[in-house]
């Protein structure tokens, strides 16, 4: 007997980063989907939130989306699944989302339901023990294998889960799932695989839905799309009245934010999209066939780790004098020399972003000559303590004011200040870990829990 | 020989992080003809990209001509991971501008 198709509603590609547009969401909800799901994580936001254990998304926006999704899911009586909670998928972010769900249940007097959740954080000791046993923590994207030194610099590590904890929590009877860090596509693949659909199509379903309306055109984020899986195909439909899922938009989305448009690696295997066929199914729907999931012969999990580099202050300086603009490198060199005189060569970082020259692209900028009549220089000082970072940024900024250029006409100050101070910024972090490690069991690093909400 | 700028042939030209250590570039065409024209012209190859961005060949992580989407896609390694001190483009989304002015020969 043929399996009944399942329909998956996704309103947001990064829950919390910007609020969902509720018009297309409720248009989708009215069609009674079988699941309501969204990914809430991204490593796009830089290493700061993971390292400092914060979110880049405001709490109110997280609550906004969770509230709409929860109320719709409970009303329809279908599972709601969130992956990579709170931008990073760290344990504190999972706890935050579980608490929000409980608060919302109370606020809206919802009948009792089960929340399943899992954690993704791993300890430095866990990796250190593996390394002591001689196991290589393999580098991704050209990185060397992890060294003890890089591990020591790390403040927080998450492992990227596959479908396994989601399937387990559904088996345990969870009505709402809050996931730790996971691959985006597995949030959607897990319920489809559990229902018996082919892995080939289930992982592709996740791949195409994970960024919500980014697979539709015209461009417009935070709008709802619905994916349908059958025994033989995936269909994806835009819910916004003006958006369509076309062959071009869906095929194009396979490239988004990824190095290679054909292959997607997850814990447990690789999705091969090189033989995907895309067809226009109806005005708003694209039909996809031909993806292939190739299971791996080992459980290899991706790790993300972030470590603090130092405290950070920012200075801002403007330049209008044409001679100073032409000699901006000498001005910066003067200021750097003053910092060296005070603090030496190492133990801090002092960076210059020269907007009007190559502030956006740095070394990648092909335009070498300065074509602007004014420059804005952003000075970034990083050091172990706040006091030192402030002083590094202050020397780096104010000494531009005193730079000694032999032929400058203006001798009363070399740069203009919006404010004559440096500003405290969030601490500087660095992605210290982008590696993989092998596991004995795909659930090994992802403990699952069940709790209740409502009454 | 007559030329047309890439900006006038492509529907989308963009850059974005691909993970923490790479930036990926997509040049997507609406019409198959324009895609094939640029593909055959030789103006977008790993070599021309290295020259444009003044990077060594080792910095190119991937170069793909993606027929299903009429797209040319390449990926480069960052010098330091995204968001490290000194990074000016945490999302990697403003690195495509030099591609706009590439002159594509047309017959």
């Amino acid at each position: 007997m043929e399996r009944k198709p399942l329909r998956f509603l996704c309103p947001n590609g990064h829950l919390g980063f910007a609020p969902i547009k509720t018009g297309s969401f409720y248009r989708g909800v009215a069609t009674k989907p079988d699941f309501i799901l969204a990914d809430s994580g991204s490593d796009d936001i830089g290493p700061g939130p993971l390292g400092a254990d914060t979110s880049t998304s405001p709490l109110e926006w997280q609550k906004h989306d969770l509230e709409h999704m929860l109320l719709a899911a409970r009303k329809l009586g279908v599972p709601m699944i969130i992956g990579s909670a709170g931008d990073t998928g760290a344990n504190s972010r999972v706890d935050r989302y579980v608490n929000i769900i409980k608060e919302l249940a109370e606020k809206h007097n919802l009948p009792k339901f089960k929340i399943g959740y899992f954690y993704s954080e791993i300890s430095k000791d866990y990796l250190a023990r593996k390394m002591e046993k001689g196991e290589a923590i393999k580098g991704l994207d050209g990185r060397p294998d992890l060294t003890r030194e890089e591990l020591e610099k790390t403040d927080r590590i998450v492992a990227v889960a596959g479908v396994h904890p989601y399937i387990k929590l559904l088996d345990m009877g969870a009505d709402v799932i809050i996931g730790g860090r996971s691959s985006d596509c597995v949030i959607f693949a897990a319920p489809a695989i559990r229902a018996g659909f082919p892995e080939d199509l289930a992982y592709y379903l996740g791949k195409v839905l994970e960024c919500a309306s980014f697979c539709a055109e015209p461009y417009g984020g935070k709008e709802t799309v619905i994916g349908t899986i059958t025994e033989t195909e995936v269909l994806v439909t835009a819910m916004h009245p003006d958006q369509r899922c076309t062959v071009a938009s869906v095929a194009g989305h396979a490239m988004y934010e990824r190095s290679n448009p054909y292959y997607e690696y997850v814990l447990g295997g690789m999705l091969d999209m090189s033989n995907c066929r895309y067809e226009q199914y109806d005005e708003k729907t694209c039909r996809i066939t031909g993806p292939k999931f190739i299971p791996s012969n080992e459980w290899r999990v991706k790790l993300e780790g972030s470590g603090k580099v130092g405290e950070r202050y920012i200075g801002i300086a403007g330049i209008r004098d044409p001679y100073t603009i032409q000699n901006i490198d000498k001005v910066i060199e003067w200021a750097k020399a003053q910092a060296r005189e005070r603090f030496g060569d190492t133990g801090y970082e002092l960076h210059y972003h020269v907007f009007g020259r190559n502030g956006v692209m740095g070394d990648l900028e092909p335009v070498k000559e300065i074509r602007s009549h004014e420059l804005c220089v952003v000075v970034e000082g990083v050091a172990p303590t706040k006091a030192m970072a402030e002083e590094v940024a202050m020397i780096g900024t104010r000494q531009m004011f005193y730079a000694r250029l032999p032929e400058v006409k203006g001798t009363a100050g070399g740069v203009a200040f919006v404010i004559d101070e440096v500003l405290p910024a969030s601490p500087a972090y660095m992605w210290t870990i982008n590696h993989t490690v092998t596991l004995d069991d795909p659930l090994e690093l992802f403990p699952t829990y069940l709790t209740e909400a409502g009454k | 020989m007559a030329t047309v700028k890439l900006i006038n042939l492509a529907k989308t030209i963009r850059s974005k992080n691909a993970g923490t250590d790479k930036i990926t570039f997509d040049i997507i065409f609406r019409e198959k003809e324009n895609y094939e024209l640029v593909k055959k012209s030789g103006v977008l190859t790993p070599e021309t990209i290295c020259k444009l961005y003044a990077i060594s060949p080792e910095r190119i992580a991937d170069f793909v001509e993606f027929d299903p989407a009429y797209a040319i896609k390449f990926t480069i390694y960052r010098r330091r991971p995204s968001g490290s001190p000194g990074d000016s483009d945490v999302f990697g989304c403003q690195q495509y501008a030099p591609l706009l002015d590439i002159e594509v020969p047309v017959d």
Side-chain angles (χ1 to χ4, degrees):
Chain A
M1 196 186 81
E2 199 153 290
R3 239 174 229 100
K4 178 181 155 291
L6 287 178
R7 299 173 64 254
F8 296 71
L9 181 147
C10 178
N12 196 332
H14 179 177
L15 186 150
F17 199 64
I20 60 168
K21 302 292 185 190
T22 52
S24 62
F25 175 70
Y26 286 106
R27 192 168 287 115
V29 169
T31 69
K32 296 195 166 66
D34 299 294
F35 298 91
I36 295 180
L37 326 85
D39 171 48
S40 182
S42 175
D43 59 22
D44 252 0
I45 55 178
L50 179 62
D53 207 14
T54 58
S55 287
T56 193
S57 301
L59 179 61
E60 284 311 310
W61 296 358
Q62 294 172 335
K63 283 185 178 170
H64 172 271
D65 282 15
L66 291 171
E67 185 164 26
H68 284 290
M69 291 175 74
L70 178 68
L71 294 182
R74 295 322 303 145
K75 199 170 169 192
L76 292 173
V78 301
M80 161 180 168
I81 307 181
I82 306 294
S84 298
D87 304 321
T88 66
N91 295 1
S92 71
R93 305 300 100 183
V94 172
D95 291 342
R96 171 190 270 199
Y97 276 21
V98 169
N99 286 331
I100 292 172
I101 297 291
K102 286 183 174 176
E103 284 166 23
L104 289 169
E106 201 174 306
K107 175 181 164 189
H108 294 283
N109 255 320
L110 296 179
K112 193 169 277 192
F113 62 93
K114 287 180 185 158
I115 307 174
Y117 60 99
F118 71 89
Y119 291 133
S120 293
E121 270 186 47
I122 63 167
S123 69
K124 287 204 263 188
D125 284 348
Y126 171 83
L127 288 182
R129 282 197 300 276
K130 290 237 180 201
M131 290 163 81
E132 269 159 31
K133 283 188 209 153
E135 191 182 328
I137 314 297
K138 286 192 185 165
L140 286 167
D141 302 326
R143 288 192 185 216
D145 291 352
L146 188 64
T147 60
R148 286 306 294 257
E149 197 193 350
E150 285 298 303
L151 182 62
E152 278 316 309
K153 286 184 194 163
T154 304
D155 288 308
R156 185 161 288 95
I157 309 164
V158 286
V160 183
V163 291
H164 319 87
Y166 290 99
I167 290 175
K168 186 176 172 194
L169 287 166
L170 287 168
D171 287 345
M172 287 161 72
D175 300 299
V176 173
I177 296 178
I178 302 297
R181 187 69 174 128
S182 349
S183 290
D184 300 357
C185 67
V186 306
I187 303 159
F188 307 85
I193 290 168
R194 182 171 177 269
F197 288 95
E199 286 185 324
D200 299 330
L201 296 170
Y203 281 101
Y204 183 84
L205 171 82
K207 183 68 210 105
V208 72
L209 289 181
E210 70 187 14
C211 285
S213 51
F214 274 6
C215 69
E217 64 180 328
Y219 175 82
K222 309 301 170 187
E223 300 289 355
T224 290
V225 295
I226 289 189
T228 305
I229 190 167
T230 76
E231 298 275 10
T232 55
E233 67 195 357
V234 170
L235 303 167
V236 57
T237 308
M239 286 297 119
H240 188 279
D242 299 330
Q243 283 187 320
R244 307 165 62 217
C245 289
T246 66
V247 170
S249 72
V250 173
H253 180 65
M255 295 187 290
Y256 185 64
E257 288 181 335
R258 338 198 5 263
S259 186
N260 183 294
Y262 296 121
Y263 312 116
E264 172 84 358
Y265 293 86
V266 297
L267 173 54
M270 184 263 283
L271 176 67
D272 181 347
M273 292 175 274
S274 42
N275 289 313
C276 277
R277 287 181 300 280
Y278 306 87
E279 298 157 68
Q280 200 65 43
Y281 180 81
D282 63 29
E283 200 214 335
K284 297 173 83 71
T285 304
C286 180
R287 174 176 186 262
I288 307 95
T289 52
K292 188 88 194 141
F293 184 74
I294 298 155
S296 53
N297 51 18
E298 60 177 3
W299 299 114
R300 182 164 284 281
V301 70
K302 183 183 170 189
L303 309 173
E304 296 172 340
S306 169
K308 189 171 174 178
V309 182
E311 300 294 336
R312 174 161 54 179
Y313 275 76
I314 299 282
I316 305 168
I319 303 177
R320 180 64 177 82
D321 178 87
Y323 177 78
T324 308
I325 288 172
Q326 288 312 311
N327 288 282
I328 181 65
D329 284 330
K330 286 181 190 156
V331 174
I332 290 171
E333 198 33 61
W334 167 268
K336 281 184 172 172
Q338 308 313 304
R340 276 198 298 275
E341 209 168 273
R342 171 77 175 89
F343 291 115
D345 290 333
T346 56
Y348 65 97
E349 291 190 36
L350 179 55
H351 297 282
Y352 286 85
H353 308 265
V354 184
F355 293 95
R357 182 176 67 177
N358 63 353
V360 176
M361 294 187 63
D363 292 345
L364 292 175
E365 176 60 72
V367 177
K368 299 299 178 194
E369 82 277 24
I370 298 174
R371 296 173 183 173
S372 175
H373 69 285
E374 62 179 15
L375 298 179
C376 175
V377 184
V378 174
V379 184
E380 195 180 355
V382 177
T385 65
K386 282 188 178 170
M388 184 174 165
E390 183 174 12
E391 197 179 344
V392 168
M394 183 59 97
I395 292 172
T397 309
R398 189 165 289 162
Q399 284 296 333
M400 294 176 72
F401 189 86
Y402 292 117
R404 297 177 186 178
L405 292 177
E407 290 176 42
V408 73
K409 298 289 179 193
T411 54
V415 295
F417 293 127
V418 174
I419 40 170
D420 183 20
E421 60 183 309
V422 292
L423 308 173
S426 57
Y429 283 84
M430 173 112 74
W431 290 113
T432 50
I433 297 180
N434 177 25
H435 290 73
T436 65
V437 69
T438 52
L439 306 177
D440 297 324
D441 180 319
L443 283 165
E444 187 178 323
L445 300 180
F446 309 103
T448 49
Y449 306 91
L450 211 54
T451 180
E452 283 187 340
K455 53 182 146 187
Chain B
M1 185 186 278
T3 61
V4 177
K5 284 188 194 301
L6 192 59
I7 189 177
N8 295 320
L9 293 172
K11 171 182 76 166
T12 301
I13 302 178
R14 67 187 179 195
S15 65
K16 188 75 190 283
N17 287 344
T20 58
D21 298 342
K22 296 186 287 193
I23 299 174
T24 193
F25 296 74
D26 300 331
I27 302 106
I28 309 174
F29 301 87
R30 196 180 306 277
E31 300 85 9
K32 188 169 192 275
E33 298 69 38
N34 286 343
Y35 170 61
E36 294 293 340
L37 175 76
V38 173
K39 211 166 100 167
K40 289 195 185 100
S41 72
V43 297
L44 271 177
T45 66
E47 293 74 32
T48 61
I49 291 154
C50 285
K51 206 170 157 200
L52 182 63
Y53 286 97
I55 55 176
S56 60
E58 302 82 58
R59 291 272 300 273
I60 306 265
D62 241 312
F63 181 92
V64 183
E65 288 165 342
F66 186 45
D67 292 344
Y70 303 151
I72 298 170
K73 179 176 181 66
F74 63 91
T75 305
I76 67 172
Y77 291 112
R78 285 173 169 271
R79 271 195 322 125
R80 280 179 116 184
S82 70
S84 301
D87 186 9
S88 289
D89 189 358
V90 175
F91 288 72
C93 58
Q94 280 294 306
Q95 304 301 310
Y96 61 87
L99 299 170
L100 303 172
D101 292 332
I102 289 178
E103 297 283 354
V104 183
V106 288
D107 289 324

